[in-house]
Amino acid sequence: MDEIIGDIDTSAVTETKYEVVVRKKVPYVTSFLFHVLLAFGATLIIIDLLFLPASGASDEMKTAYFILVIPEVIKQTLYISFIGFIIVLPLYLSARIYKKSWISFFKDKISIRGKRLNIIIPLEIVTKVYCMDPKWLNGESREKLTIYFKQKDEKFVRVRLKHYVQAEEFMRDLLQYENLSFETYDFNVSPAEMDEE
C-alpha cells in the first residue's frame, strides 16, 4: 500500500537508513475485532466472579456448584464467550500487521519504505513526535525504541527501531529537525485517542 503525501525536496539530511518495524492496521476491522475481544474478555471475567464462593472447594464441589447453582443462561454465555474469545484473538492479532521497512530522514520529509509500503511524511504536517524508550524496574532499557509521528489530521505513524544498538545514532538524526516538538518517555504509553496509520 503506497502512501505518498506531496512532492518534496529529496535531499537527505543523513545518508543512514534505519531498519524499522511499522505497525499497519486494517481500518475498522482491527477496531471492531478489538472491541469484540474486549467484550468477550470482560464477560469471562465477570462470570469468573460467580465462582468465588466455590474457589476454596475441591474440584468435585466446584463441578457440583457449576451444575447446580449457576443458571443455564450464564452457562451458555460462558460457552459463547470462551469460544468467541478463542476465535477472535488470532483474527485480531493477524489484523495488526507489522511490516519491516527502512526509514530515511530528508530535509523536508521522513520516508518509510518497505515491501509494498511507501509512507512519506512531510515535516510540515507533523505536529509532535513521541519517543518511547521503556525501561525495566531496575532502570535498564527494554531495548524497544518506538516513535509515534503525530500528524495534523490527528493520525499517527508508529515505527519501532529494529536494532536497538542504533538507537543513539537514530535519535541524533531525528533530533536534527529542530522545528519539531518532541516528547520522550521511559515507559510505554500510547498518545491519547490514537488512530495509528
Side-chain angles (χ1 to χ4, degrees):
M1 176 179 172
D2 282 359
E3 184 175 346
I4 305 175
I5 311 168
D7 296 320
I8 304 161
D9 178 22
T10 57
S11 55
V13 170
T14 174
E15 299 270 332
T16 312
K17 287 183 181 179
Y18 299 96
E19 190 174 1
V20 294
V21 178
V22 179
R23 180 174 161 197
K24 299 288 289 178
K25 297 197 308 185
V26 180
Y28 304 110
V29 174
T30 308
S31 179
F32 172 74
L33 290 174
F34 174 75
H35 287 95
V36 171
L37 192 65
L38 195 64
F40 284 142
T43 304
L44 290 172
I45 291 170
I46 291 168
I47 291 175
D48 187 53
L49 296 176
L50 296 174
F51 290 90
L52 282 178
S55 62
S58 65
D59 290 341
E60 293 84 8
M61 289 302 294
K62 287 179 184 176
T63 304
Y65 180 82
F66 178 74
I67 293 170
L68 301 173
V69 177
I70 302 296
E72 201 61 38
V73 174
I74 303 275
K75 291 177 188 173
Q76 290 175 357
T77 305
L78 176 65
Y79 298 142
I80 291 169
S81 296
F82 182 72
I83 291 168
F85 189 87
I86 289 174
I87 292 170
V88 173
L89 181 61
L91 291 175
Y92 172 69
L93 293 175
S94 65
R96 298 178 346 152
I97 302 165
Y98 292 88
K99 296 190 173 232
K100 292 181 184 177
S101 52
W102 296 87
I103 190 168
S104 302
F105 301 110
F106 294 90
K107 184 178 178 182
D108 296 326
K109 69 178 179 179
I110 296 168
S111 171
I112 303 168
R113 295 179 186 269
K115 187 177 181 182
R116 292 187 295 145
L117 178 72
N118 186 12
I119 301 174
I120 305 294
I121 309 169
L123 294 181
E124 69 254 14
I125 71 164
V126 177
T127 58
K128 192 166 281 191
V129 180
Y130 297 90
C131 306
M132 317 289 179
D133 188 8
K135 298 191 179 344
W136 296 105
L137 291 176
N138 63 5
E140 289 183 21
S141 175
R142 292 186 181 195
E143 299 190 356
K144 291 185 178 181
L145 178 63
T146 305
I147 308 294
Y148 294 87
F149 297 99
K150 183 180 181 183
Q151 301 171 42
K152 286 181 180 175
D153 60 3
E154 297 297 316
K155 290 189 176 183
F156 288 77
V157 175
R158 175 186 185 256
V159 299
R160 190 181 75 232
L161 190 62
K162 178 100 176 181
H163 306 290
Y164 188 78
V165 293
Q166 297 178 312
E168 190 174 323
E169 186 182 350
F170 176 87
M171 288 304 298
R172 186 176 61 245
D173 288 343
L174 182 60
L175 291 169
Q176 288 182 29
Y177 297 119
E178 296 175 356
N179 295 334
L180 294 183
S181 173
F182 290 89
E183 285 193 23
T184 57
Y185 299 91
D186 61 358
F187 54 91
N188 274 328
V189 59
S190 293
E193 302 300 320
M194 174 178 297
D195 180 18
E196 289 176 8
E197 195 63 351

